Amino acid sequence: MIQITCASPNENELVAMANALSPSVKYKFHKMEQCKDKLEAVEYVFEMLSPAMFFLLEKGIKLLIVTLGSNGVFICCKEHTNFIKDQCKCKQTPFSAQLLEKLDWNFPSNTPVNLCGESSSRTCVFHLPAISASVISLTGAGDCLVGGVLSALCGGLDIIRSVAVGVAIAKASVESEANIPDNISAESVADDAKRILISAKKLWCK
């Protein structure tokens, strides 16, 4: 049997995944009507989606990166989860090497969230906000997010910082006509990732 290690669904895909694996309980998600308060909107979405997220982790998925559109992303995983078994086998592209060099000095040392506790099995959920973008096309944004996360993980960053990089690269994607932008500035991505990380919050850890 093939086990899925990581998934990056949106809200509706997350619920569909949980319902496909649940013989009895049916999970639901209803979008909140117009809400100007971002914090209230995030808390509402978390309350709606957390049962499905926790269920999927119980089924063996190690990492969920739930994309929430303008509300950012949720990261849901166990504290002790190790995503990169052999760092030496990871390959870096010239761009990822340049990006990681920028991130070395650009990320704050005292991050507001972290994923520690090697001996812990607590389930943690973090929220990383979206940042404003001049949207041209949404096509390819999800692929860019996942690619950015994987590239950063292979470069040695932890999951929180890696998702911040993914969100920053997704922002660059939606501001481009191309599905995958030809010219992405490593310095710009690093700056955006820092802004995202500074505003990240731990929503749940039990």
Side-chain angles (χ1 to χ4, degrees), residues 155-177:
L157 295 183
D158 63 30
I159 186 60
I160 305 297
R161 290 176 173 85
S162 295
V163 175
V165 169
V167 173
I169 292 179
K171 171 184 177 283
S173 170
V174 302
E175 293 182 328
S176 169
E177 292 183 357

Side-chain angles (χ1 to χ4, degrees), residues 69-83:
S70 62
N71 287 322
V73 300
F74 288 149
I75 303 170
C76 184
C77 60
K78 298 288 187 181
E79 268 192 315
H80 67 283
T81 303
N82 180 23
F83 300 100

Side-chain angles (χ1 to χ4, degrees), residues 5-82:
T5 300
C6 173
S8 58
N10 61 30
E11 304 103 314
N12 293 318
E13 290 167 343
L14 174 83
V15 170
M17 289 169 61
N19 285 335
L21 295 174
S22 175
S24 54
V25 179
K26 290 303 174 186
Y27 300 93
K28 297 180 181 180
F29 172 69
H30 302 289
K31 280 191 176 290
M32 193 176 191
E33 296 300 325
Q34 294 290 333
C35 178
K36 295 182 179 179
D37 188 326
K38 281 285 185 182
L39 179 60
E40 182 183 349
V42 168
E43 290 176 348
Y44 169 83
V45 175
F46 173 69
E47 184 177 347
M48 289 287 293
L49 296 181
S50 56
M53 289 193 293
F54 298 155
F55 172 75
L56 289 173
L57 257 63
E58 289 174 4
K59 286 296 182 179
I61 294 179
K62 292 184 177 181
L63 170 66
L64 282 168
I65 302 172
V66 185
T67 57
L68 310 171
S70 62
N71 287 322
V73 300
F74 288 149
I75 303 170
C76 184
C77 60
K78 298 288 187 181
E79 268 192 315
H80 67 283
T81 303
N82 180 23

